[in-house]
Amino acid sequence: MALSGSHKDRGLRIHENLDELSTDLAFYIAELSEESVKERGVFSVALSGGSLIGLMGKLCEAPYNKTVDWTKWYVLWADERVVAKNHADSNYKLAKEGLFSKVPIVPSHVHSINDSVSAEEAADEYEFVIRQLVKSRVISVSDISDCPKFDLILLGMGSDGHVASLFPNHPVLDEKNEWVTFITDSPEPPPERITFTLPVINSAANVAVVVTGDSKANAVHLAVDDVGPECPLVPARMVQSTRGKPVWFLDKLAASKLDGFQFSE
């Protein structure tokens, strides 16, 4: 696989297959965890759902299951479906089965939403939880805004270019004041969700977007390449981090429509 230098400049980590991507993703997360624990004594990370948790699976294997200081992790969700924690659509359930049950994360450090209230109440309560974690310095405060500064926010992306539960052309994309907001009309089921807002995502120290499969290739092109104003503005294109652009973890199928991308045998 041949990559031009410009791909590396744009924060693209493109892999031949899912196994290579998972290996690199685990290394990246473990490195940030170690760096954060050394600097701050904790590691605050926000997860998403979908295929992301499965692709994080190598963190549960040697050496990371032993070398990562899991007791210093504080885990939240960049978005969550307002369903019971044992529901098939729950991002919490996905992460518990795929990650938490396999590594020694402290249960009280895992902050899930209150699924017994409305989406609006769940969002308000979750923002309060984050504010308490900021107050106790588990989560830093952004240097450029009053938003929380997570050490890492991990996102997937839909084929329509949505990230977290920020969907194209949805009013929540313009939310500037809330840290956590809600939707009741998700174009994908289930309809009721809570989501971090763009200012919170973009205040993180590090943001990684993990995308695989050819069904996402056009959205990756729209999010990453220098496309003209006639092209739709996908939510993923609006994502950045305090260090600049997000890091994109892509397999070669998801990267296949990027300008200048070619495979080498």
Side-chain angles (χ1 to χ4, degrees), residues 83-138:
V83 295
K85 289 182 177 58
N86 59 358
H87 192 284
D89 289 329
S90 167
N91 288 342
Y92 169 85
K93 174 179 165 52
L94 195 65
K96 184 180 180 185
E97 293 176 352
L99 187 64
F100 307 151
S101 62
K102 301 175 181 179
V103 292
I105 291 177
V106 180
S108 63
H109 291 182
V110 176
H111 295 275
S112 56
I113 68 164
N114 181 354
D115 56 66
S116 63
V117 297
S118 70
E120 182 174 10
E121 290 171 302
D124 288 345
E125 287 188 20
Y126 210 49
E127 179 164 328
F128 179 77
V129 167
I130 296 171
R131 287 188 181 276
Q132 296 304 110
L133 291 171
V134 168
K135 194 179 285 187
S136 62
R137 301 189 179 178
V138 167

Side-chain angles (χ1 to χ4, degrees), residues 18-19 21-23 25-27 29 51-65 70 97-99 102-103:
L18 297 185
D19 189 64
L21 188 155
S22 298
T23 299
L25 181 62
F27 176 80
I29 296 170
S51 59
L52 173 68
I53 299 300
L55 293 168
M56 291 172 65
K58 288 191 186 292
L59 284 170
C60 305
E61 302 171 7
Y64 303 116
N65 58 344
W70 295 104
E97 293 176 352
L99 187 64
K102 301 175 181 179
V103 292

Side-chain angles (χ1 to χ4, degrees), residues 96-217:
K96 184 180 180 185
E97 293 176 352
L99 187 64
F100 307 151
S101 62
K102 301 175 181 179
V103 292
I105 291 177
V106 180
S108 63
H109 291 182
V110 176
H111 295 275
S112 56
I113 68 164
N114 181 354
D115 56 66
S116 63
V117 297
S118 70
E120 182 174 10
E121 290 171 302
D124 288 345
E125 287 188 20
Y126 210 49
E127 179 164 328
F128 179 77
V129 167
I130 296 171
R131 287 188 181 276
Q132 296 304 110
L133 291 171
V134 168
K135 194 179 285 187
S136 62
R137 301 189 179 178
V138 167
I139 301 171
S140 300
V141 180
S142 167
D143 312 320
I144 53 173
S145 69
D146 70 340
C147 286
K149 181 181 178 181
F150 283 84
D151 296 314
L152 173 62
I153 295 181
L154 287 161
L155 302 169
M157 185 189 72
S159 57
D160 61 354
H162 83 266
V163 289
S165 284
L166 301 170
F167 290 92
N169 305 312
H170 197 285
V172 295
L173 288 170
D174 299 318
E175 177 58 59
K176 300 289 192 291
N177 299 317
E178 307 290 344
W179 290 359
V180 183
T181 190
F182 70 99
I183 61 173
T184 56
D185 57 354
S186 167
E188 296 180 5
E192 297 199 351
R193 299 162 178 239
I194 66 101
T195 183
F196 284 6
T197 57
L198 273 172
V200 169
I201 293 172
N202 291 345
S203 295
N206 302 277
V207 179
V209 189
V210 185
V211 190
T212 63
D214 55 3
S215 67
K216 312 278 183 74

Side-chain angles (χ1 to χ4, degrees), residues 66-81:
K66 296 284 194 282
T67 59
V68 169
D69 192 347
W70 295 104
T71 63
K72 302 294 196 299
W73 277 44
Y74 284 78
V75 182
L76 292 92
W77 277 263
D79 75 310
E80 178 59 287
R81 293 85 180 270

